[in-house]
Amino acid sequence: MTGAPDPAITPRTFSSGARKGRRRRLPGTLVHVVVLLFIVGWVVPILALFLSSIRTQADTASSGWWMALVRPDLSLQNYALALDQLNIAGSLGTSLAIAIPTTVLTVLLSVIGAYALVRMRFAGRTALSLLLVSLLVTPPQITLVPLLRLYNQVGLSGSIPGIWLYQVGFTLPFGVFLLRGFIASIPKDLYESANLDGASELRTFWSIVLPLSRPIMASLGIMAFLWSWNDLLIPLLFLGGSGVSPPITVNLAGLVAQTTQGQGPLMAATFLSVIVPLMLIISMQRYFVRGILGGAVKG
Amino acid sequence: MTDTLTFVPLMIVLGAIGVPAAVFAALGAGERALTLFSGGAGRRARPWVWLFLPLILVILILIYPVIVTIFTSFQDARAENWIGWQNYAWAFSGQMLDIVGNNILWLVAFPLITLVLALASATLFDKVRYEPLAMTIVILPTAISFTAGSVIWTQMYSFQPSGSPQIGTLNAIRALFGADPLPWLIQPVVNNFALIFVAVWLQLGIATLILSSAIKNVGSEMLEAARLDGAGEWLIFRAMILPNILPSVLVVLTTMIIAALKVFDIVYVMTNGNFGTDVIANRLYYELFAANNLGHASAIAVILLFTALPVALINIFQFRSEARS
Amino acid sequence: MTGVSIRKAEKSYGEIAVIHGVSVEIEEGEFVVLVGPSGCGKSTLLRMIAGLEEISGGEIAIGERVVNDVEAKHRDIAMVFQSYALYPHMTVRDNMAFSLKLKGMDKAERETRIGRAADILGLEPLLGRYPRQLSGGQRQRVAMGRAIVRDPQVFLFDEPLSNLDAKLRVEMRSEIKQLQHRLKTTTIYVTHDQVEAMTMADKIVVMRAGRVEQCDTPLGLYDNPANTFVAAFIGSPSMNFVEGKVEGDAVVAEDGIRLPLPAGQGAALAGQRVTYGFRPEHMELAPKGGIPCEIELIEPTGSETMVSLRMGQAAVAGVFRERIAGPEGSTLGIRPDAARIHLFDPRTGQRLA
């Protein structure tokens, strides 16, 4: 950025009291109007989704969601239908079975890679860093043709571990990239001290690097979870035709095409699919912000 | 269907506990193997013990497929015979031209619209006391999948013929002002922008965060001094803030260009490429599954990769200059 | 407990050599200070002993064992870092327990050792705290506690006091010295501060540009500096140097000023050019018959008076027990104590016998 300290190390949160009163002259009415427009424009679609999901089938078919505010006639019927007939519970389960291990493995392997890249000196270190940076922008589409074939050959297609493998491998360059700045900021003395205290490399990693990197690991964890949970393309391609329920994104995409159940259950299913990431981002906004800023600065 | 209640926890335990334990065991075994070497050799081999797993994964999932895809793009539908540049000739002819045109629209319009809105939101949010609330709300959609966002906006864009009650929010607003309803997702050109706006809605939070952080880094003394000199807010933005946040503007643009390249979910879910909205990522999916043409699919993928290349070069350049400073 | 032998140790980074064949013998239980200006290689040498830097040539032995190829963690050495390197996510107790746990020591034994170290250093009330909750001096103590509990063969200190304020530095200086006397563990201590070196060491190794300039007891260095570098480095204010030619029982500077030699020494060196060195504290006031100097600055400290003088063309510092009234600009007669002057070769800087 503009010569500022690496945001990965010094996160700026938006409620920070340090900036109180700074640049806050009395804004004009126009400013308030535009900001309110943003707020309305960004919250209304989510509100519409929620309200549509708790209205009755008949209402949804005949009037807009806003009528729920005028004439509330609410029911959880859509949720019952979604869970019962659209296999939403199974889909949420599959999504969890994909996203949780993907998150853990992405974070773990990223810390390992970043630690080796930052802490150890070896020939080709700079080249490797540059390779990672250039891989940051690889479109996933470029990998599909060979990987589909490879997955079929080794029997990974249709299996959940196959999805872990893909998502972890695809996110690793970002993960290593996000973590390396932070890990580089851990004073070298600590490693040396641990070494003199008799700690092996692995022990130093476990007892010093992992605990100290917890905040940035949380940032990466959030990003990895969101990407995995929200991914449509990869499970759509690699999980087709297997016995497991499709993950929630694949299920939703299928439901849009066939609207036999009506809009209501689809809205309920969609709301169920967004509630997990929304809760996550609200409760861990600080870490999410750090992840965005730390990772986006250069990539 | 497999029994979710046992299957899901089993998978989670396996993937989130079992595999990491195996990774640690592998590292331990590698470290033990290192002790067999005397001093120098062990120290030189150590980085590769640690980098082994991450590197293998990246090679398997990214590097190997990129290379193979480039080769396949010069082969026929079943990836058996070499056919030279024919796939690329196909990719820039006939029906594909419209698709490429749509992609160019995405590549230009999406980053620009996002940038303009993000500059507005980041600058204006900075002036109000309820900034944290506004920021949180703009960030919310970044947690939502493109798929769910598409479902949400399919309903927002919903269209009924003139005269019948409008269920979709946007057409209801039009009706309020006496305008005719618009078939947002069907009418050409409008529908492309309608799709682009869904992506803007989903990604604006990221751009706003980046720019907002950059704006807060602009020294307040400088701005105060400019105000004392009698500069208006617009002049301050143009002459003081904008030049200082240019690097971040570049970051936003490149991030959004990459997002525009990859866009697939929105088109796949909302129109499936109908009504002149197809993009090459969606077309690739079609070539892969419906048409089973590996050569075409690979050529399309390589085009995507090469479009992303300038951004990769910018990143590398920036990374190197940062590493040096 | 054991001594440390450094035999012709060398260190180079690629083409660039930073330690050129350094040899030092450190006796068991000795407190040795490596001192020198920054960049002289003293910290590098310490890190080579610790095993944090590879040894490019020569050998280093701890006790009988040559440790060139022994990993740091197996050298049984404890080090106190300039930054203290406390583990920020562990309490004081856990910081001290870390190495003991790694040794596989049982909890009771660990607690006994931590208790003893905490007792020695006055750390009991702090055992449950985290490093960020401690003051600079407390962190310093914890860093030492972490070293003590290990009961290692050798303690290494890398500029441990440079992050403390002046008062605390003096306190910790004597505390570390007393501690070492009590534990009798071989100690190697790196500092750039010659006062620290003089007050703490049994033996001082003065280094410059990757070489040992001299290795002796503090007073040995003070009384018999091997060259002008050591002579100037040890002692504060620095030794005064005047160049001149030996004529009879005096050294005559170019401006004609005559500086006295000990009886008999002049004959051996007659006619030779020398660098004449005398310490500020080794001269006396001589209102009659002394060398007349112009007073440029008077700095009374109470117990003594520091005076900056101009002696012919040379700037000279003097420290006197007497109080000097001045005023600045007036003339003061002084006489170097001929018995305590030093002569050096002006070309090589080496001491002349």
Side-chain angles (χ1 to χ4, degrees):
Chain A
M1 231 164 257
T2 49
D6 189 348
I9 301 158
T10 41
R12 277 169 295 273
T13 46
F14 290 90
S15 48
S16 93
R19 302 192 354 92
K20 210 177 291 166
R22 177 182 173 234
R23 229 185 288 155
R24 296 279 154 91
R25 351 187 72 220
L26 286 180
T29 324
L30 187 64
V31 171
H32 285 298
V33 169
V34 177
V35 173
L36 280 177
L37 271 178
F38 269 109
I39 292 181
V40 169
W42 261 252
V43 91
V44 156
I46 299 176
L47 187 68
L49 170 70
F50 175 64
L51 288 178
S52 301
S53 76
I54 54 172
R55 299 177 76 208
T56 61
Q57 292 276 31
D59 281 357
T60 309
S62 62
S63 62
W65 56 270
W66 50 90
M67 294 309 282
L69 297 171
V70 186
R71 283 197 315 268
D73 174 20
L74 309 178
S75 86
L76 290 175
Q77 184 197 3
N78 291 328
Y79 285 88
L81 275 172
L83 291 173
D84 194 36
Q85 294 179 14
L86 305 183
N87 190 23
I88 294 304
S91 288
L92 291 173
T94 303
S95 280
L96 282 178
I98 292 174
I100 291 176
T102 293
T103 306
V104 172
L105 291 171
T106 302
V107 172
L108 178 65
L109 290 175
S110 297
V111 194
I112 291 175
Y115 176 63
L117 209 55
V118 170
R119 170 93 180 99
M120 302 171 187
R121 318 203 142 264
F122 55 92
R125 192 164 76 141
T126 317
L128 205 56
S129 299
L130 288 178
L131 179 70
L132 280 179
V133 173
S134 57
L135 286 176
L136 283 177
V137 298
T138 316
Q141 284 85 359
I142 188 95
T143 64
L144 300 180
V145 173
L147 283 185
L148 275 170
R149 227 188 308 172
L150 183 72
Y151 269 42
N152 277 326
Q153 280 163 7
V154 300
L156 269 174
S157 64
S159 79
I160 284 181
I163 309 286
W164 300 340
L165 201 65
Y166 185 95
Q167 290 180 339
V168 173
F170 193 79
T171 317
L172 259 180
F174 174 84
V176 172
F177 185 76
L178 180 68
L179 294 185
R180 50 184 291 289
F182 190 93
I183 290 184
S185 75
I186 298 176
K188 194 177 63 154
D189 287 1
L190 289 186
Y191 303 129
E192 296 184 338
S193 181
N195 190 355
L196 288 171
D197 273 347
S200 64
E201 201 72 36
L202 195 59
R203 180 69 198 216
T204 307
F205 180 74
W206 178 263
S207 299
I208 310 289
V209 180
L210 282 187
L212 288 179
S213 307
R214 240 179 271 157
I216 197 74
M217 284 161 65
S219 295
L220 175 60
I222 288 198
M223 314 283 291
F225 184 89
L226 289 179
W227 284 332
S228 173
W229 180 271
N230 290 337
D231 192 11
L232 170 67
L233 182 63
I234 300 312
L236 186 66
L237 288 175
F238 291 84
L239 213 51
S242 68
V244 291
S245 314
I248 188 75
T249 45
V250 176
N251 197 344
L252 282 183
L255 288 176
V256 177
Q258 35 116 349
T259 44
T260 49
Q261 300 287 342
Q263 286 285 301
L266 174 60
M267 293 298 152
T270 306
F271 190 73
L272 286 175
S273 89
V274 300
I275 198 71
V276 174
L278 279 184
M279 284 301 153
L280 196 68
I281 210 175
I282 289 172
S283 62
M284 298 180 71
Q285 188 176 343
R286 198 156 63 90
Y287 296 101
F288 177 75
V289 169
R290 196 205 313 238
I292 293 283
L293 294 181
V297 171
K298 305 99 179 173
Chain B
M1 291 283 157
T2 327
D3 184 5
T4 307
L5 276 182
T6 56
F7 175 71
V8 169
L10 191 77
M11 273 304 182
I12 292 175
V13 169
L14 176 69
I17 298 171
V19 180
V23 169
F24 272 106
L27 271 183
E31 280 285 325
R32 187 133 335 131
L34 285 181
T35 58
L36 300 179
F37 297 101
S38 61
R43 212 169 305 181
R44 271 191 296 280
R46 170 164 289 144
W48 302 107
V49 168
W50 285 72
L51 287 171
F52 181 75
L53 281 173
L55 216 53
I56 284 290
L57 258 182
V58 169
I59 289 172
L60 182 77
I61 300 296
L62 285 168
I63 296 172
Y64 155 79
V66 166
I67 295 167
V68 173
T69 302
I70 292 175
F71 279 114
T72 314
S73 71
F74 295 102
Q75 292 177 327
D76 63 6
R78 309 203 49 198
E80 283 163 349
N81 304 300
W82 298 95
I83 57 169
W85 293 88
Q86 283 181 34
N87 291 322
Y88 292 96
W90 164 82
F92 290 105
S93 66
Q95 179 200 11
M96 281 302 290
L97 281 182
D98 293 337
I99 298 180
V100 171
N102 283 340
N103 261 82
I104 293 172
L105 182 66
W106 271 88
L107 281 174
V108 175
F110 171 63
L112 283 184
I113 296 173
T114 310
L115 178 66
V116 169
L117 288 182
L119 278 174
S121 59
T123 317
L124 298 181
F125 288 5
D126 192 45
K127 295 180 188 297
V128 298
R129 208 164 307 149
Y130 45 95
E131 179 182 17
L133 173 76
M135 195 61 87
T136 304
I137 285 175
V138 173
I139 293 173
L140 281 185
T142 60
I144 296 177
S145 65
F146 278 38
T147 314
S150 302
V151 173
I152 291 170
W153 279 89
T154 304
Q155 197 207 26
M156 295 288 287
Y157 287 138
S158 155
F159 164 78
Q160 302 290 326
S162 189
S164 30
Q166 294 299 329
I167 298 171
T169 312
L170 293 184
N171 278 327
I173 293 173
R174 282 181 72 90
L176 208 60
F177 291 101
D180 281 337
L182 204 57
W184 297 95
L185 294 177
I186 295 168
Q187 186 167 314
V189 188
V190 172
N191 53 8
N192 270 313
F193 282 100
L195 295 184
I196 289 173
F197 187 77
V198 177
V200 172
W201 184 77
L202 286 162
Q203 298 280 285
L204 181 72
I206 290 174
T208 304
L209 273 180
I210 295 171
L211 293 181
S212 174
S213 144
I215 287 174
K216 285 171 203 305
N217 271 338
V218 178
S220 58
E221 282 90 2
M222 188 175 82
L223 301 184
E224 292 298 331
R227 281 201 187 96
L228 290 177
D229 287 346
E233 290 300 311
W234 171 244
L235 183 69
I236 286 179
F237 176 77
R238 219 192 46 201
M240 305 258 152
I241 296 181
L242 204 53
N244 276 295
I245 62 169
L246 267 184
S248 297
V249 168
L250 186 69
V251 167
V252 167
L253 281 179
T254 54
T255 310
M256 294 305 148
I257 285 172
I258 294 302
L261 266 186
K262 294 186 204 171
V263 74
F264 158 75
D265 322 37
I266 295 176
V267 176
Y268 176 78
V269 173
M270 294 184 82
T271 64
N272 198 15
N274 293 317
F275 318 116
T277 58
D278 213 358
V279 291
I280 54 183
N282 188 55
R283 179 69 191 200
L284 184 147
Y285 180 77
Y286 168 84
E287 291 294 335
L288 205 49
F289 279 88
N292 264 316
N293 193 322
L294 298 184
H296 282 178
S298 297
I300 290 174
V302 173
I303 292 169
L304 280 178
L305 181 73
F306 274 80
T307 320
L309 219 53
V311 176
L313 290 177
I314 291 175
N315 280 345
I316 288 178
F317 181 75
Q318 240 182 317
F319 178 79
R320 294 206 71 153
S321 61
E322 250 163 69
R324 234 175 271 134
S325 64
Chain C
M1 263 169 271
T2 23
V4 175
S5 311
I6 303 164
R7 300 176 203 125
K8 299 205 174 102
E10 290 174 16
K11 174 74 191 173
S12 49
Y13 298 101
E15 298 287 287
I16 305 151
V18 291
I19 302 278
H20 312 269
V22 164
S23 297
V24 180
E25 280 300 319
I26 296 163
E27 307 291 325
E28 176 173 332
E30 211 171 17
F31 193 122
V32 171
V33 173
L34 306 181
V35 70
S38 59
C40 71
K42 56 192 189 296
S43 281
T44 308
L45 186 59
L46 190 78
R47 292 168 58 80
M48 286 159 73
I49 299 168
L52 299 173
E53 301 279 353
E54 277 180 77
I55 300 163
S56 314
E59 59 182 31
I60 292 179
I62 297 173
E64 298 299 302
R65 182 169 67 143
V66 173
V67 294
N68 284 34
D69 289 327
V70 178
E71 273 194 73
K73 63 179 172 196
H74 296 133
R75 290 193 188 186
D76 197 12
I77 271 177
M79 180 154 164
V80 174
F81 290 80
Q82 181 174 4
S83 66
Y84 315 138
L86 301 180
Y87 308 125
H89 56 296
M90 298 183 192
T91 61
V92 169
R93 172 179 279 110
D94 290 338
N95 260 283
M96 296 208 276
F98 186 63
S99 63
L100 305 182
K101 277 184 200 159
L102 290 176
K103 272 189 195 161
M105 192 177 287
D106 65 54
K107 192 166 187 327
E109 169 74 11
R110 277 200 322 250
E111 285 302 314
T112 324
R113 285 220 193 177
I114 292 170
R116 203 166 3 156
D119 183 44
I120 294 174
L121 293 162
L123 288 173
E124 290 102 335
L126 308 178
L127 284 176
R129 297 219 198 146
Y130 286 92
R132 61 173 180 277
Q133 300 167 310
L134 304 178
S135 69
Q138 290 168 333
R139 286 180 203 180
Q140 166 69 56
R141 278 201 180 79
V142 175
M144 280 164 44
R146 208 169 58 174
I148 291 174
V149 289
R150 299 225 350 234
D151 192 15
Q153 292 194 324
V154 182
F155 282 139
L156 305 179
F157 289 85
D158 189 6
E159 308 233 10
L161 303 183
S162 53
N163 286 343
L164 300 178
D165 64 46
K167 187 162 173 284
L168 211 48
R169 200 149 50 205
V170 175
E171 269 175 44
M172 290 308 297
R173 201 162 79 191
S174 44
E175 220 171 292
I176 292 177
K177 189 172 177 180
Q178 282 167 11
L179 187 70
Q180 201 268 341
H181 283 179
R182 182 164 167 187
L183 299 172
K184 299 198 169 48
T185 306
T186 311
T187 300
I188 306 175
Y189 186 108
V190 162
T191 180
H192 62 271
D193 179 353
Q194 57 94 15
V195 179
E196 242 170 76
M198 292 294 283
T199 50
M200 300 174 86
D202 295 327
K203 189 159 83 189
I204 295 178
V205 179
V206 183
M207 292 182 68
R208 177 170 63 157
R211 290 192 171 82
V212 172
E213 293 287 331
Q214 193 174 1
C215 173
D216 204 343
T217 60
L219 293 180
L221 289 180
Y222 182 83
D223 290 337
N224 294 302
N227 52 43
T228 47
F229 174 78
V230 176
F233 192 80
I234 300 292
S236 171
S238 257
M239 187 183 281
N240 301 305
F241 296 107
V242 179
E243 249 184 69
K245 200 182 218 174
V246 177
E247 286 177 15
D249 266 353
V251 171
V252 181
E254 276 170 26
D255 47 23
I257 287 174
R258 296 178 66 87
L259 298 151
L261 285 172
Q265 204 168 12
L269 296 165
Q272 212 172 314
R273 291 199 66 80
V274 295
T275 298
Y276 182 95
F278 58 105
R279 294 194 183 276
E281 55 270 35
H282 293 158
M283 50 177 139
E284 53 185 9
L285 293 177
K288 289 186 187 118
I291 302 163
C293 300
E294 188 190 334
I295 301 178
E296 292 194 320
L297 184 67
I298 302 177
E299 296 169 291
T301 63
S303 62
E304 48 196 25
T305 311
M306 285 155 53
V307 193
S308 304
L309 300 165
R310 182 144 295 278
M311 182 166 83
Q313 288 167 1
V316 164
V319 175
F320 302 98
R321 306 292 303 177
E322 297 87 350
R323 301 200 167 176
I324 291 164
E328 287 160 10
S330 64
T331 304
L332 192 68
I334 59 125
R335 183 188 303 124
D337 179 354
R340 309 179 79 167
I341 62 102
H342 308 267
L343 293 180
F344 304 96
D345 184 318
R347 276 175 300 116
T348 64
Q350 294 303 310
R351 182 180 194 83
L352 295 170

